[in-house]
């Protein structure tokens, strides 16, 4: 999926002891060695940040915090599970090797997209803690300032929402081969000058652009817009999505 990155550094997290309640738990931190001299496991503990950590409202399954770090505003996210499985297993994932650790995969995907000049947050570090056949994972990334989600725009004024810009933004990422596993209106952001961003690339992947997964991405976004319509008629949302789709198709057909 992504090329070899000589800037990557890996710092082991030694096994914990009984006194800490982490007996038999160990892990690692992945980061860019050209940007950071070292990494600290405490970065991934929201409690360790104290008042400098603020839980993100409406952050899906709840595992995200805004962090006021010394090097700038960040977002800390823990990889939690949803659905039926999440009712009895909130944060444990099956260990399949470090190459499949979800935080590491997203960290590398973000860096690859940045190399391709695509607008995504800058990843700072990713970590995991393993115990037996399971592991927990976190990622720390930059916080994009002064942004609002497409969902917020739609709630305030659907007629003025950046739907055409959204269509062109998605077409750019699709042309680069990004299959976004959870393309919804909350994961599409726009800043004060109208620049669009994609976030939350967990389980995303780079693929050969083809119709099936592109249409699945767009269908998921359409379902998101329908879910957020409130008292608006469904036909209005269909009209909104048609605006988005026309701009998507126009850019896609140009092959750029």
């Amino acid at each position: 999926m992504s090329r070899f990155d000589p800037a990557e550094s890996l710092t082991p997290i030694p096994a914990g002891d009984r006194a800490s309640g982490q007996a038999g738990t160990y892990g690692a931190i992945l980061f860019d060695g050209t940007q950071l001299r070292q990494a600290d496991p405490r970065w991934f503990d929201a409690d360790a940040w104290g008042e400098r950590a603020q839980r993100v409202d409406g952050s899906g399954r709840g595992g995200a915090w805004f962090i006021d770090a010394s090097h700038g505003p960040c977002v800390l996210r823990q990889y939690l599970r949803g659905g039926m499985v999440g009712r009895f297993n909130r944060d444990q994932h099956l260990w399949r090797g470090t190459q499949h650790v979800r935080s590491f995969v997203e960290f590398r995907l973000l860096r690859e997209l940045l190399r391709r000049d695509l607008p995504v947050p800058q990843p700072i570090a990713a970590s995991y803690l393993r115990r037996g056949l399971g592991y927990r994972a976190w990622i720390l990334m930059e916080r994009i300032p002064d942004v609002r989600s497409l969902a917020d725009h739609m709630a305030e004024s659907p007629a003025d929402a950046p739907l055409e810009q959204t269509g062109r933004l998605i077409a750019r990422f699709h042309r680069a081969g990004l299959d976004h596993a959870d393309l919804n209106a909350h994961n599409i952001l726009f800043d004060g000058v109208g620049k669009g961003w994609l976030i939350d690339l967990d389980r995303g992947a780079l693929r050969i652009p083809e119709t099936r997964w592109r249409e699945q991405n767009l269908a998921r976004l359409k379902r998101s817009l329908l879910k957020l319509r409130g008292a608006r008629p469904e036909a209005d949302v269909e009209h909104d999505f048609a605006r988005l789709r026309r701009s998507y198709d126009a850019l896609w057909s140009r092959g750029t």
Side-chain angles (χ1 to χ4, degrees):
M1 178 192 70
S2 59
R3 71 190 76 175
F4 169 73
D5 188 348
E8 281 190 1
S9 292
L10 196 68
T11 295
I13 301 175
D17 54 29
R18 290 185 181 276
S20 66
Q22 297 292 325
T25 298
Y26 62 95
I29 302 173
L30 179 67
F31 63 99
D32 181 352
T34 66
Q35 301 294 322
L36 300 171
R37 292 184 178 180
Q38 58 186 3
D40 191 328
R42 292 174 295 180
W43 292 349
F44 305 96
D45 181 356
D47 292 337
W49 289 97
E51 294 182 353
R52 297 166 70 186
Q54 177 184 357
R55 189 177 291 275
V56 179
D57 294 330
S59 59
R61 298 163 189 165
W65 297 264
F66 291 139
I67 305 294
D68 182 18
S70 59
H71 50 76
C74 302
V75 177
L76 171 65
R77 193 175 83 242
Q78 184 178 9
Y79 292 76
L80 300 179
R81 306 189 68 165
M84 292 293 293
V85 174
R87 295 184 180 182
F88 60 87
N89 175 13
R90 285 283 287 161
D91 62 1
Q92 292 288 325
H93 309 280
L94 180 64
W95 179 258
R96 297 189 295 135
T98 55
Q99 71 273 24
H100 296 293
V101 169
R102 289 169 66 174
S103 57
F104 284 17
V105 172
E106 185 170 2
F107 179 92
R108 288 165 172 154
L109 176 59
L110 287 167
R111 285 174 59 80
E112 180 62 27
L113 291 171
L114 286 169
R115 277 191 285 263
R116 301 183 186 198
D117 295 322
L118 289 164
V120 294
Q122 176 75 48
I124 298 170
S127 76
Y128 74 87
L129 285 174
R130 179 187 177 187
R131 186 173 187 178
L133 296 178
Y135 75 94
R136 293 177 292 151
W138 299 260
I139 190 168
L140 185 68
M141 66 192 80
E142 71 165 343
R143 180 180 178 183
I144 305 168
D146 303 321
V147 289
R148 297 176 63 207
S149 69
L150 178 62
D152 289 340
H153 281 285
M154 294 297 294
E156 180 176 297
S157 177
D160 299 321
L163 292 166
E164 287 82 8
Q165 296 94 318
T166 298
R168 291 190 291 270
L169 178 70
I170 297 169
R172 282 185 61 198
F173 277 91
H174 280 179
R175 181 62 66 184
L178 177 69
D179 180 1
H180 195 300
D182 189 18
L183 189 63
N184 64 62
H186 296 286
N187 290 336
I188 302 169
L189 308 180
F190 290 91
D191 63 21
V193 296
K195 180 180 179 179
W197 307 76
L198 287 191
I199 63 170
D200 197 357
L201 273 66
D202 180 31
R203 299 187 185 277
L206 290 174
R207 309 186 190 282
I208 296 173
E210 55 93 28
T211 301
R212 182 175 180 181
W213 65 258
R214 291 192 298 112
E215 292 298 334
Q216 289 173 342
N217 277 197
L218 291 166
R220 191 177 187 91
L221 176 57
K222 183 177 180 180
R223 291 195 298 270
S224 169
L225 294 173
L226 286 168
K227 185 177 180 180
L228 295 169
R229 68 187 173 94
R232 297 179 68 219
E234 185 172 331
D236 287 357
V237 181
E238 294 282 353
H239 179 266
D240 294 338
F241 188 77
R243 289 171 50 198
L244 184 158
R245 184 63 198 248
R246 283 194 296 271
S247 64
Y248 174 95
D249 289 338
L251 185 59
W252 179 265
S253 65
R254 285 163 46 188
T256 58

